[in-house]
Amino acid sequence: MKKYLVAYKIALQETLQRRSTLIMDRLGGFAVVISLYSFWIALIGDKTSFLGYTRPEMLTYVLLLNVLRSFVFTGRGWQLVGEISSGKISSYLVRPVSYHGYALSLDLAQKTVHVVSAVLEVGLLALLVHGQLFLPRDPATYLLFAMSVVLSSLLFFFLEFMVSSLAFWTSESGGPLFCFELFLQFAAGAFFPLDVLPKGIRTALESTPFPYMVYFPVRIFLDKVTTAEAMHLLSIETAWLMAVTMAAMLVWNRGLRVYSAEGG
């Protein structure tokens, strides 16, 4: 455990040292949030609600998106693709550490910096728009929301890890990873609530693990589901996490065998 803590601290320092990259990333994320807020405010207009969301709930949804995008969708997929393609992965495989634990430590370091930045951005935007936010009254809602977000982050980590591991078979795995991340954010509800979609499409997406990363956690926070329903969603999300983790490990282990057979 100590080894992974050291890796986390080093990665945290390196992330903070790359200030220009961090600033550009955060500016891009902030621009997305402002655009989404302007878009939804224009749709709501003078109406008291839109698609079942009141103005405070929609503002809260948009602000939560910024935090969740920073915590859930921050990852090392592209670095893993590069390490496999360049052969640098070999130097990690000979070390007395689990590469998954090591990668998760680095991932957590990036998330820490981006989440703190996102919270500051959310506070700034809330002050600028002078909008009323929706805050749950039941303390249990905050706990359920926090649990769903942690599961969401792990779910994304192993999904991205699995797709990135395709680099063991092809040097063009950056393409699938790009398409995966783009579709994932759409299917997770990171651009808009999935309520806006036709019922058939929404039902199809809800049968995948993607909505459990953003859409359902936000619905838990906004009290759109009961406590019993939230517990049910968490149980399904846990099952998806277990299934995705096993699939990611299977792809990784098979990729290592291909890598070793080719003299990597």
Side-chain angles (χ1 to χ4, degrees):
M1 190 66 182
K2 185 177 180 180
K3 294 177 288 188
Y4 302 115
L5 181 60
V6 171
Y8 168 80
K9 291 180 178 179
I10 294 175
L12 188 62
Q13 294 173 357
E14 292 178 347
T15 303
L16 292 173
Q17 288 174 354
R18 297 194 292 268
R19 296 183 182 87
S20 58
T21 301
L22 176 62
I23 291 174
M24 293 303 296
D25 285 343
R26 298 319 313 162
L27 285 176
F30 193 57
V32 170
V33 172
I34 292 178
S35 300
L36 289 174
Y37 172 75
S38 302
F39 175 74
W40 285 110
I41 288 301
L43 285 179
I44 293 176
D46 297 328
K47 297 186 288 289
T48 58
S49 65
F50 181 72
L51 293 173
Y53 293 87
T54 63
R55 186 179 294 267
E57 288 174 344
M58 185 56 70
L59 175 58
T60 304
Y61 191 104
V62 172
L63 295 182
L64 280 177
L65 284 184
N66 192 39
V67 177
L68 290 178
R69 285 165 65 96
S70 300
F71 186 74
V72 176
F73 295 139
T74 299
R76 297 188 66 258
W78 291 99
Q79 289 91 331
L80 177 57
V81 169
E83 289 168 354
I84 295 175
S85 300
S86 65
K88 186 179 179 181
I89 192 72
S90 299
S91 63
Y92 295 105
L93 298 178
V94 297
R95 298 178 185 179
V97 294
S98 165
Y99 184 82
H100 306 89
Y102 173 75
L104 194 57
S105 299
L106 303 190
D107 185 70
L108 183 59
Q110 289 184 338
K111 292 181 186 297
T112 301
V113 176
H114 283 278
V115 167
V116 171
S117 302
V119 170
L120 295 176
E121 294 162 8
V122 164
L124 176 60
L125 183 57
L127 291 175
L128 290 176
V129 300
H130 301 289
Q132 182 182 359
L133 298 177
F134 176 89
L135 296 176
R137 296 181 180 180
D138 187 356
T141 301
Y142 293 92
L143 177 60
L144 293 170
F145 172 71
M147 293 171 61
S148 68
V149 170
V150 171
L151 291 173
S152 299
S153 181
L154 291 172
L155 188 56
F156 173 78
F157 173 81
F158 284 105
L159 274 171
E160 186 183 48
F161 197 94
M162 179 173 60
V163 176
S164 301
S165 296
L166 296 176
F168 282 119
W169 288 274
T170 173
S171 59
E172 303 298 329
S173 59
L177 181 59
F178 174 80
C179 294
F180 163 75
E181 292 183 343
L182 187 62
F183 173 76
L184 173 62
Q185 295 194 43
F186 162 79
F191 295 121
F192 49 78
L194 297 184
D195 306 75
V196 305
L197 297 175
K199 183 178 179 180
I201 297 177
R202 186 174 71 249
T203 302
L205 289 176
E206 289 177 355
S207 64
T208 70
F210 307 130
Y212 294 89
M213 297 182 192
V214 174
Y215 176 65
F216 285 132
V218 174
R219 286 184 63 82
I220 290 175
F221 187 87
L222 295 178
D223 284 336
K224 296 293 185 181
V225 297
T226 65
T227 300
E229 290 171 335
M231 293 297 295
H232 179 65
L233 290 174
L234 288 176
S235 65
I236 297 176
E237 188 174 7
T238 302
W240 272 118
L241 175 59
M242 294 173 62
V244 169
T245 300
M246 290 188 291
M249 297 301 294
L250 178 63
V251 174
W252 171 260
N253 290 330
R254 290 190 175 182
L256 285 182
R257 288 198 292 270
V258 172
Y259 186 70
S260 301
E262 294 179 352

